[in-house]
């Protein structure tokens, strides 16, 4: 019987750099997490005077922001814990170039998000979100002519079902369909 040699082949060893994270990524994760926790806490404070529902099955206006903000805070705490647990990767000498295409993709994603919010007012949640998801998947590199629309409609229907039927939260119908 032989023992595995000490070093990188042992899971969890100190020199195991397979899942190491660059220092800049670790700092970005920590800063983003702290900012999101502050935003979630301010959302809880700002919505504290929302009316409470008298029905036991109704989520109500008061509980809904608390549920979302609480989930966001929990996920940020998990990200902070995982970031702190992950070893730091040695700095690379050559930086990866993002390029103009990367920045253009981010700008298009932000424009698509703003367009979705505006379009939701006119065409409703379903149409605006399904088109938005297909566009975002295409921007992220998923360009299947069959799977993009199927996933966009499926995920939109799932989210609509959860909010409309399970949580009884009305979603925008759109002024064109009223």
């Amino acid at each position: 019987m032989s023992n595995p040699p000490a070093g990188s082949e042992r899971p969890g060893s100190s020199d195991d750099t397979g899942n190491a994270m660059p220092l800049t990524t670790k700092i970005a994760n920590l800063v983003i997490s702290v900012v999101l926790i502050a935003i979630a806490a301010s959302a809880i404070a700002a919505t504290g005077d929302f009316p409470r529902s008298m029905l036991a099955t109704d989520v109500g206006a008061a509980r809904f922001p608390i549920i979302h903000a609480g989930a966001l805070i929990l996920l940020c705490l998990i990200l902070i814990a995982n970031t702190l647990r992950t070893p730091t990767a040695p700095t690379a000498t050559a930086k990866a170039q993002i390029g103009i295409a990367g920045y253009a993709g981010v700008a298009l994603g932000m424009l698509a998000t703003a367009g979705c919010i505006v379009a939701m007012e006119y065409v409703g949640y379903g149409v605006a979100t399904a088109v938005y998801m297909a566009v975002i998947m295409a921007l992220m590199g998923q360009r299947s002519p069959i799977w993009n629309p199927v996933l966009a409609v499926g995920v939109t229907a799932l989210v609509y079902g959860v909010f409309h039927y399970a949580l009884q939260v009305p979603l925008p119908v759109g002024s064109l369909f009223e």
Side-chain angles (χ1 to χ4, degrees):
M1 181 172 160
S2 65
N3 292 329
S8 63
E9 294 184 18
R10 286 188 346 194
S13 67
S14 62
D15 59 346
D16 186 12
T17 58
N19 59 354
M21 188 181 299
L23 182 62
T24 55
T25 303
K26 291 179 86 171
I27 292 172
N29 283 351
L30 295 174
V31 169
I32 290 170
S33 296
V34 169
V35 168
L36 288 177
I37 287 172
I39 290 172
S42 66
I44 290 173
T47 59
D49 58 347
F50 277 13
R52 306 216 179 271
S53 175
M54 297 299 159
L55 301 173
T57 58
D58 188 13
V59 174
R63 272 188 261 169
F64 198 65
I66 293 172
I67 292 170
H68 272 260
L72 182 60
I73 290 171
L74 177 66
L75 291 174
C76 286
L77 292 175
I78 291 171
L79 178 61
I80 289 171
N82 283 337
T83 300
L84 294 177
R85 282 183 355 173
T86 304
T88 302
T91 56
T93 56
K95 284 190 164 191
Q97 296 295 323
I98 294 175
I100 193 72
Y103 291 117
V106 171
L108 286 174
M110 293 170 67
L111 283 175
T113 302
C116 176
I117 292 169
V118 171
M120 203 176 290
E121 180 104 6
Y122 300 105
V123 296
Y125 168 81
V127 174
T129 304
V131 171
Y132 170 71
M133 290 191 67
V135 168
I136 289 297
M137 283 191 286
L139 285 174
M140 294 177 70
Q142 174 68 32
R143 294 188 174 98
S144 170
I146 296 171
W147 283 109
N148 274 20
V150 168
L151 288 173
V153 170
V155 171
T156 300
L158 177 69
V159 171
Y160 182 84
V162 167
F163 277 85
H164 186 75
Y165 296 111
L167 298 174
Q168 298 180 356
V169 174
L171 294 172
V173 178
S175 61
L176 296 177
F177 301 114
E178 287 180 339

